[in-house]
Amino acid sequence: MAATGIESRLEGLGIALPAASDPAAKYANCVIANGFLYVSGKGPGGKPKGKLGRDFTTEEGYAYARLAGIEVLAVVKEALGSLDLVKRVVKVQGFVNAVPEFEEHHKVLNGYSDLMLDVFGEKGVHARSVLGAISLRDNLPIIVDSIFQVE
């Protein structure tokens, strides 16, 4: 059977979603409340370790942000059964593990934002904020949490 909707778009982008990763501590991967799906912070698969501006370039950070987005999509699919039930991406917050001199946090998080636009089209346009962090759990380069409006 051929894929339809968002699954077809993922195939066209060459993206195969992994199984949703387990939470890193005592919290839920996501919570659905009043038509919104709140996804806990997710980092890139493969667990890279290091800081932007020292261990990784902005371009590598962009790729890690995109991978974090794929992890988020896996959680959304597990929670909803289908990404077609996403009405829109509402809010994204990124935390970039960076040296104090690093100034391209926004360019790093574009990796996540571009993925949401590629996958959901206009429904992927979202509000967002990005913050630099002196450290993140497991020394991940980026962690992203998200809010989706869902059916």
Side-chain angles (χ1 to χ4, degrees):
M1 178 179 228
T4 60
I6 298 299
E7 286 184 27
S8 178
R9 191 169 289 165
L10 286 172
E11 276 183 20
L13 294 167
I15 297 171
L17 294 182
S21 59
D22 292 328
K26 293 183 180 181
Y27 58 86
N29 257 345
C30 62
V31 172
I32 299 173
N34 299 320
F36 291 93
L37 174 66
Y38 299 84
V39 180
S40 296
K42 289 290 178 186
K47 304 280 190 222
K49 294 181 180 287
K51 288 188 176 293
L52 275 290
R54 182 184 70 207
D55 305 306
F56 303 116
T57 64
T58 299
E59 292 75 22
E60 289 170 315
Y62 176 99
Y64 289 139
R66 186 174 177 89
L67 289 172
I70 290 170
E71 292 287 322
V72 167
L73 292 176
V75 169
V76 173
K77 183 171 182 187
E78 181 180 87
L80 301 177
S82 171
L83 293 175
D84 291 319
L85 296 176
V86 171
K87 286 183 166 181
R88 78 167 299 137
V89 182
V90 176
K91 174 75 169 146
V92 172
Q93 187 167 29
F95 300 89
V96 177
N97 188 3
V99 297
E101 308 77 45
F102 189 74
E103 296 181 349
E104 297 188 319
H105 307 78
H106 59 295
K107 292 180 182 178
V108 168
L109 193 54
N110 281 346
Y112 184 99
S113 296
D114 288 346
L115 175 67
M116 294 302 126
L117 291 171
D118 290 346
V119 171
F120 296 108
E122 286 300 310
K123 296 188 304 183
V125 176
H126 52 269
R128 77 175 204 187
S129 56
V130 62
L131 305 166
I134 60 168
S135 69
L136 292 176
R137 70 171 167 81
D138 300 324
N139 199 26
L140 291 171
I142 187 167
I143 292 176
V144 183
D145 63 43
S146 311
I147 302 169
F148 296 83
Q149 183 181 21
V150 299
E151 293 184 32

